[in-house]
Structure formats: C-alpha cells, structure tokens
C-alpha cells in the first residue's frame, strides 16, 4: 500500500463515518420538523445528485480509464474495461435494490400523504406492531444499501481527498431522508424517541462498516488493476444512486425548478472544488 494511502486512511474512515451518521439528522428532523416545507431538502438532494453525476463522469471514470490505459497500453481496450466496470456497478446497485421489498425500500419516496397516514395510524392505535416492523425492516434495507455507498466514499477518499470530501457530503445529504424513513414509523408506533434515534443511527453505521469490509477484502490485492476496476464500479454505483434515488426524491420533495437548481449548484461547486484542489496540489 502506498504512502498516500497510509496518510489518508484515518481521514477516509472519519469522513465515511460522518457521512453514515447523517441518518441521525434525519431522525431528529422526524421528531421536530413539519413536513409541509421540503424546498430545502429538495435542493439538497438535487445538489447531491449534481455532485455525484459530475464527479462520476468527469473524474472517477477518467481515473479508471487512465489506470486501465497504463495496464494495457491500449486506449480502446482501456475504454472497454472502464465501461464494463461502470455498468457492473449499475448492475450491482440494481440487484441490491431489487432484493429489498418495495414497501420497506427507503428509496420509494415517502410523500406527505404517506406520512399523514402513519400519523393517523398512531392516533387511532392501529397495528403498532406492524408499524414498528416497517421501521425496523426499513433500517435493515438502508443498512444493505449503505454498504456500497460507504465503500465508494472510503475508496475515493483514500485515493484522493479532493474526490472523497465532496462525495461524502453528497452521501450525507442523501442519508437525511433515509433517517426519516427509519425513525418516523418507529417513533409513531412507540412514541420512544431514543429507540427511533438509535435505529436510524445504526442503519447509517453500515456505511463505515461496508467501507472497512470492502477495504480489507481488497487490501492484499490493492494496486492499479484493483483501483481501475473499483473506480469504474464506484462510478456506476453513484450514477445509479443519483438517478434511482436522489433525483426522484428531489422532485417529490420539491418541484422541477428546485431540483434543477440543486443539480446545477452541485455540479458548479464540485467543478470549482476540483479546480481549487488541482491548483493547490
């Protein structure tokens, strides 16, 4: 493992951990926030999508291609393997999403009318066990989804902090509504803030856990080939997250304008941050 990897290791763990813990923010919002004002959340989710789409196509895939070119000394072959890894990442994400039942999938958007139904269920004391079960299974679903996200954040940070930090911020923003999805049904069923808080928090901790498991599985194989494959897969995972989760959520919580402003702002900040990091280095 290179000296650069050793220097970035603890920092990569830290920002992956913090990104995962943003589900806790969602839990707190579920306790204290009114649900009729989601404009800021819509812009934030669009921002996350903009960051992840831009960095995937402009930086991460470029790194994968460059590494494959160094390996094969053939641009066409490098392009082929980069694209193959990219779509493998999409397939992996889609398969994970397919395994999660629709009614507990955290990426099936919870609209205001759905939230209202949960509150009515609580007030009428209808089937609290089933409502709590929904929250628990949603926590499990989110934990499964967070494994590849944590790995993407960690490896990107480990290799290049100029990529890792913006990706971690984008992941953190998109984890907030996931925390709401976990904590709200548990809180409405039990009226126990601590229990709802800890379920949401633990679901987010799957992110650094996924990062560590992925890293130690690949540790002994870490090199240009592994990195080239990993970056291609990470780009595919992040594009799937953006189009399957972030953009629909941004649109559901806001409107077309809030979504596109968020996307544009995310791409602008991401591009400027990359330019600044390159000037500094």
């Amino acid at each position: 493992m290179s000296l650069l990897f050793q220097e970035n290791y603890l920092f990569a763990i830290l920002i992956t951990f913090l990104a995962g813990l943003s589900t806790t923010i969602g839990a707190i919002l579920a306790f204290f926030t009114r649900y009729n004002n989601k404009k800021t959340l819509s812009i934030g989710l669009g921002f996350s999508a903009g960051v992840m789409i831009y960095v995937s196509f402009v930086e991460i895939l470029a790194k994968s291609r460059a590494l494959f070119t160094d390996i094969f000394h053939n641009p066409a072959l490098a392009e082929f393997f980069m694209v193959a890894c990219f779509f493998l990442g999409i397939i992996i994400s889609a398969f994970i999403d397919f395994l999660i039942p629709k009614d507990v999938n955290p990426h099936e958007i919870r609209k205001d009318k759905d939230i209202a139904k949960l509150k009515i269920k609580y007030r009428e004391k209808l089937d609290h066990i089933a409502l709590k079960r929904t929250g628990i299974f949603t926590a499990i679903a989110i934990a499964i989804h967070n494994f590849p996200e944590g790995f993407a954040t960690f490896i990107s940070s480990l290799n290049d902090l100029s990529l890792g930090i913006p990706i971690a911020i984008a992941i953190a923003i998109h984890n907030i509504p996931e925390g709401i999805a976990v904590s709200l049904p548990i809180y409405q069923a039990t009226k126990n803030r601590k229990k709802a808080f800890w379920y949401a928090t633990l679901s987010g901790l799957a992110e650094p856990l996924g990062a560590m498991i992925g890293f130690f599985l690949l540790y002994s194989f870490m090199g240009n080939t592994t990195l080239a494959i990993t970056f291609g897969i990470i780009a595919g995972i992040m594009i799937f997250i953006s189009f399957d989760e972030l953009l629909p959520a941004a649109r559901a919580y806001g409107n077309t304008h809030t979504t596109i402003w968020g996307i544009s702002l995310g791409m602008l900040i991401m591009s400027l941050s990359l330019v600044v990091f390159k000037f500094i280095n």
Side-chain angles (χ1 to χ4, degrees), residues 28-259:
I28 295 171
L29 291 176
F31 304 149
F32 301 110
T33 302
R34 292 183 177 182
Y35 292 95
N36 58 358
N37 183 11
K38 293 201 174 68
K39 185 175 181 180
T40 301
L41 181 56
S42 174
I43 294 173
L45 290 168
F47 178 91
S48 297
V51 168
M52 295 173 75
I53 292 169
Y54 185 91
V55 77
S56 294
F57 284 126
V58 174
E59 285 288 320
I60 296 180
L61 280 177
K63 284 180 176 289
S64 177
R65 185 194 296 113
L67 288 166
F68 276 126
T69 301
D70 288 340
I71 295 166
F72 296 114
H73 305 290
N74 184 325
L77 197 58
E79 188 82 16
F80 171 79
F81 278 101
M82 178 202 73
V83 170
C85 291
F86 173 75
F87 283 103
L88 178 60
I90 290 177
I91 292 169
I92 290 170
S93 295
F95 180 70
I96 292 172
D97 207 57
F98 174 77
L99 293 177
I100 307 300
K102 184 176 180 180
D103 58 337
V104 297
N105 193 323
H107 304 135
E108 296 295 332
I109 306 304
R110 300 291 196 272
K111 297 181 180 178
D112 288 343
K113 64 180 181 180
D114 298 321
I115 293 170
K117 287 178 182 177
L118 290 176
K119 291 183 176 180
I120 291 171
K121 267 191 174 183
Y122 175 75
R123 287 197 300 266
E124 296 179 354
K125 298 182 180 179
L126 293 176
D127 203 1
H128 288 191
I129 295 175
L131 191 56
K132 182 180 176 181
R133 182 176 177 273
T134 296
I136 293 171
F137 274 93
T138 302
I140 295 170
I142 288 174
I144 294 170
H145 277 90
N146 282 350
F147 262 70
E149 293 174 14
F151 181 67
T153 305
F154 179 74
I155 292 296
S156 299
S157 303
L158 199 60
N159 182 257
D160 188 347
L161 291 179
S162 67
L163 294 179
I165 293 174
I167 290 171
I169 293 171
I171 292 290
I173 292 171
H174 122 265
N175 279 348
I176 291 173
E178 293 187 349
I180 294 173
V182 173
S183 60
L184 184 64
I186 293 176
Y187 175 54
Q188 294 297 330
T190 66
K191 219 53 177 174
N192 187 325
R193 282 192 173 94
K194 287 185 178 179
K195 186 173 290 186
F197 177 88
W198 283 114
Y199 271 111
T201 300
L202 289 173
S203 69
L205 289 179
E207 211 145 279
L209 180 61
M212 296 303 298
I213 291 174
F215 176 74
F216 284 115
L217 285 175
L218 295 175
Y219 177 82
S220 59
F221 306 102
M222 198 63 72
N224 282 355
T225 301
T226 306
L227 284 175
I229 295 170
T230 301
F231 279 129
I233 291 174
I234 285 173
I237 289 171
M238 295 209 302
I239 290 299
F240 184 90
I241 291 169
S242 297
F243 285 97
D244 184 65
E245 304 169 21
L246 299 180
L247 293 180
R251 183 64 183 83
Y253 289 127
N255 55 50
T256 304
H257 295 295
T258 57
T259 303

